[in-house]
Amino acid sequence: MTTDVRRATTAPLPAPPVTPPPARTSLRRRLIVPAKHLGLVVIGFIMLYPVLWMIVSSLRPGDEIFRNPGLILDSLQTENYTEGWNALNPSFGTYLLNSTILVLGCIIGNLVSCSMAAYAFARLNFSGKRWWFGIMLGTIMLPVHVIIVPQYVLFSQAGWVNTFLPLIVPKILATDAFFVFLMVQFIRGLPRELDEAARIDGCGHPRIFAQIVLPLMKPALATTTIFTFIWTWNDFFTQLIYLTDPEMYTVPVALRSFVDSTVATSWGSQFAMSVVSLVPIFLAFLIGQRYLVKGIATTGGK
């Protein structure tokens, strides 16, 4: 008798019955997720439509480009690419080479100078550090059109017009304050114990920067590389000002040369070369997307 009572008292209580959610609520949840995905697909298609239309138009005859806003090809015109490649003198490969040289120079300049300046702001103590850092941040809000005239006069007197020097040398002097700020925030997130341990082993600031801090800055360096590549490759204004010889033209300036007010514009050839110029940007973004997201996320974490 007592055993039965004990068993009855120690037995676990039955779980309360689970009431299923109303049918209307579950039906709404099932419909909301596909609706969101469908909306994102529609918005993405609207945003990508101009690019898709340009790619399709590069394969159309010139007289059908502006008469057909659709994305379905009636005929395939692959000659636009061969004609666009050889339409200018020199060929379009020269402009791709010029842009590649300019982009590599700007990337190397930004990586070296901005990382050194960022390390100085993040780890060194010097007089007026906060003031100089504030002035550096203030240059981000300064439009390039304000300083383009004095810069042109300076570079013209130095004999640098129609060369890549006015476009590369400022990068070597850490003039891109955005990348300096990005790297400063990343270095501040690194533990100072690493610097102290290196100092105990007899390392100075050059070795700490080169052997400890710089290898840990790969996400920030990758972000700087990708942004510098895209901004320099697409830059038209400054390259148009400093590059006057057709032999020195870059891709954006060369694409502008397809449009002439005195002759009929070959839109098929221009769209074909525009597609060619977009391929390096897509490749750079696809290859470095992982580092780009990681670099931006870690620099904003502190």
Side-chain angles (χ1 to χ4, degrees), residues 70-126:
L71 300 178
I72 300 177
L73 285 172
D74 298 329
S75 60
L76 195 63
Q77 188 81 10
T78 57
E79 291 80 5
N80 289 334
Y81 285 86
T82 56
E83 293 177 359
W85 190 269
N86 301 312
L88 303 176
N89 189 20
S91 65
F92 203 79
T94 303
Y95 309 129
L96 290 173
L97 179 61
N98 292 339
S99 291
T100 302
I101 296 173
L102 178 61
V103 164
L104 289 177
C106 293
I107 289 175
I108 295 173
N110 271 341
L111 290 180
V112 174
S113 62
C114 293
S115 60
M116 295 175 66
Y119 179 81
F121 280 120
R123 288 294 194 257
L124 302 184
N125 294 320
F126 52 89

Side-chain angles (χ1 to χ4, degrees), residues 147-178:
I147 59 176
I148 195 65
V149 173
Q151 278 186 347
Y152 183 85
V153 173
L154 177 64
F155 294 141
S156 177
Q157 292 177 354
W160 289 0
V161 176
N162 201 33
T163 65
F164 293 147
L165 293 177
L167 304 172
I168 296 178
V169 171
K171 308 297 182 182
I172 303 176
L173 302 177
T175 56
D176 285 337
F178 172 76

